[in-house]
Amino acid sequence: MATLGLSEQEKQAVAAFRSEVVEPSQTKLVLVDFWAEWCQPCKQLSPIIEKIAAEYADRGVLLVKINVDENRFIASQFRVQSIPTVYAIFQGQPIADLSQARTEGQYRQMLDQILPQLPIESEAGQLAQDLAPLLAMGEEVLASGDAGRALSIFSQIGEMDPDNAEALGGQIRALAALGHMEEAEALIAALPPELAKEAAIERGRAAIALARSATPGVDIAPLQARIAADPADYEALFELSSAQMAAGNRDAAADALLAIIAGERDWSEGKARNQLLQLFEVVGLEDPWVAAQRRRLSAILFS
């Protein structure tokens, strides 16, 4: 905003705007709420937008409220025709008009769409960057079969970031791998509703279900003998897959389930396919191993 030809009062308004909005917006997303004392919708919106700004503060969101009666010049620069008017400003430029939002859910949806597209400097972003190697280590350790050590790693991450869905999901899967189902389920039950819906938590639920269906300590030799005598003994194949899952041998478990699907894809109302998909979810849908098994499954289903 140029100040040439402005009155002293307007120059002061521009200076304040630069200090409160433009400068912070170089590294943060600034929500500018144009309001007035006489505006009843503004009063209704105020607690909502203040709550959202506080909730998203660690993600680099800052709220600045501008009274249009006291800052007519600034309001005119933004062509404010009605209030409340809310703009999202980044690096000194309005990048989104949030004026249509009236509920917490609408604001969350808009901010969740905007923030990932911006190079925002935030506490949450820095923390996520710091924790990424630890999360990768936890996943690697859990995949190697050391559920106890993986639980320790994920728990430490949880202490640093209590609402980290990936760490919580890792704890749940590690507990399931250790056979501590009640503890894993209690951890899920204690989560806030929004966090409980995260994909990482769903992956944990799948791990619990899979662990409950697995059969530990089974002597697989008799099962293998039954299958050798009758390759269509799908019950034996399914029991073998459960035993292999309990032993941590996901390759053998997948082989047994795929053998059932290849022989009779709808056996026991698709029990083998459902079990295989559950295994995919636990391992992680983006995992290369899952991609390879999906190709095997597709080859069977579409051959």
Side-chain angles (χ1 to χ4, degrees), residues 120-183:
I120 297 286
E121 291 183 10
S122 66
E123 293 179 16
Q126 185 59 52
L127 182 59
Q129 187 175 340
D130 293 342
L131 295 181
L134 292 176
L135 286 168
M137 181 190 298
E139 293 291 349
E140 184 177 343
V141 170
L142 184 57
S144 73
D146 193 346
R149 183 172 169 231
L151 178 60
S152 176
I153 294 170
F154 287 125
S155 297
Q156 289 176 38
I157 297 171
E159 290 175 5
M160 291 183 278
D161 186 6
D163 293 330
N164 190 302
E166 296 297 330
L168 288 164
Q171 289 181 61
I172 294 164
R173 285 181 287 120
L175 287 167
L178 291 168
H180 301 162
M181 308 303 174
E182 290 76 13
E183 192 175 345

Side-chain angles (χ1 to χ4, degrees), residues 139 143 203 250 280 283-294:
E139 293 291 349
R203 190 177 170 193
R250 66 187 186 188
F280 291 169
V283 174
L285 299 181
E286 304 302 321
D287 191 281
W289 181 86
V290 171
Q293 304 309 314
R294 278 189 179 279

